[in-house]
Amino acid sequence: MAQAGWWARIGHWFRGSDPNTVNDLPAVGRDGFLHGLESEAARQTLGVISAPRLSKQQRREQTLDRLQDGHLRVVGLIESLQKHLEAQDRRGQSIAGSLEQVAENMVRLSEAARQQCETLGTIATQLQTGNDRAQRWEEAFAQFPALAEAQRATLATLGEQVAIGRQAD
């Protein structure tokens, strides 16, 4: 059993388990020619001319064309990934800006809530003061009947004294 050289093993390790089956492309041998295109359908799918009609140079050019097509696909994929990442970056910046605005609004909201609390506290103090005054007026008005009764009793007593004084005169 022949063991592959160190560089060959490293190359296989980077390429994966089967270095000739990558991205639905035909296998390429060590000589640089396409292998595994036995069926006519496979040749037509890949746009490959049958092997007997190709010279070595034409097969190499065909292989290079396929590699270039694969390279262009990879470049297109990288460009689309880059566009996607740029769009994602813009969305991330937009979300960050929105979150900053929310934070600013929350600060303003908390300030407004604090001011409302102070205003409500002032209103409550004024209402309490008004309630205290109303209670004092109520107490004063509650004393009017007692004062009126005392005043009537005093006037009655004065009337009796005046009557007694007249009788004595």
Side-chain angles (χ1 to χ4, degrees):
M1 179 177 191
Q3 272 194 341
W6 187 77
W7 287 107
R9 285 185 299 198
I10 295 295
H12 288 296
W13 181 72
F14 279 115
R15 283 187 231 125
S17 61
D18 188 7
N20 291 329
T21 56
V22 179
N23 298 328
D24 296 330
L25 295 175
V28 179
R30 290 187 178 266
D31 58 356
F33 298 119
L34 298 177
H35 295 286
L37 296 177
E38 289 77 23
S39 70
E40 187 62 33
R43 285 189 211 107
Q44 288 176 355
T45 302
L46 295 171
V48 176
I49 302 171
S50 62
R53 295 191 299 181
L54 292 177
S55 69
K56 280 187 170 186
Q57 184 63 28
Q58 288 172 332
R59 282 188 261 175
R60 284 184 183 157
E61 288 177 5
Q62 187 180 44
T63 302
L64 289 175
D65 287 342
R66 297 299 299 158
L67 287 174
Q68 186 176 5
D69 289 343
H71 176 70
L72 292 176
R73 287 184 200 163
V74 170
V75 168
L77 179 63
I78 290 172
E79 287 175 350
S80 67
L81 284 173
Q82 187 176 12
K83 288 177 185 177
H84 173 75
L85 290 174
E86 289 172 355
Q88 189 174 5
D89 185 45
R90 285 192 301 271
R91 285 190 297 269
Q93 289 175 353
S94 172
I95 289 171
S98 298
L99 288 175
E100 287 175 3
Q101 288 177 350
V102 166
E104 291 172 4
N105 290 338
M106 293 301 288
V107 167
R108 283 189 241 137
L109 181 65
S110 66
E111 180 63 27
R114 185 189 59 77
Q115 289 176 350
Q116 286 177 347
C117 285
E118 289 176 1
T119 303
L120 289 175
T122 304
I123 290 172
T125 304
Q126 289 176 353
L127 287 175
Q128 184 63 35
T129 304
N131 285 341
D132 291 343
R133 286 183 193 150
Q135 188 175 6
R136 282 185 271 163
W137 279 106
E138 188 177 318
E139 290 171 0
F141 287 134
Q143 291 176 1
F144 278 142
L147 290 175
E149 183 61 33
Q151 196 175 28
R152 187 190 62 72
T154 304
L155 287 176
T157 306
L158 283 176
E160 288 175 11
Q161 288 180 357
V162 169
I164 293 174
R166 277 192 202 157
Q167 284 177 358
D169 282 337

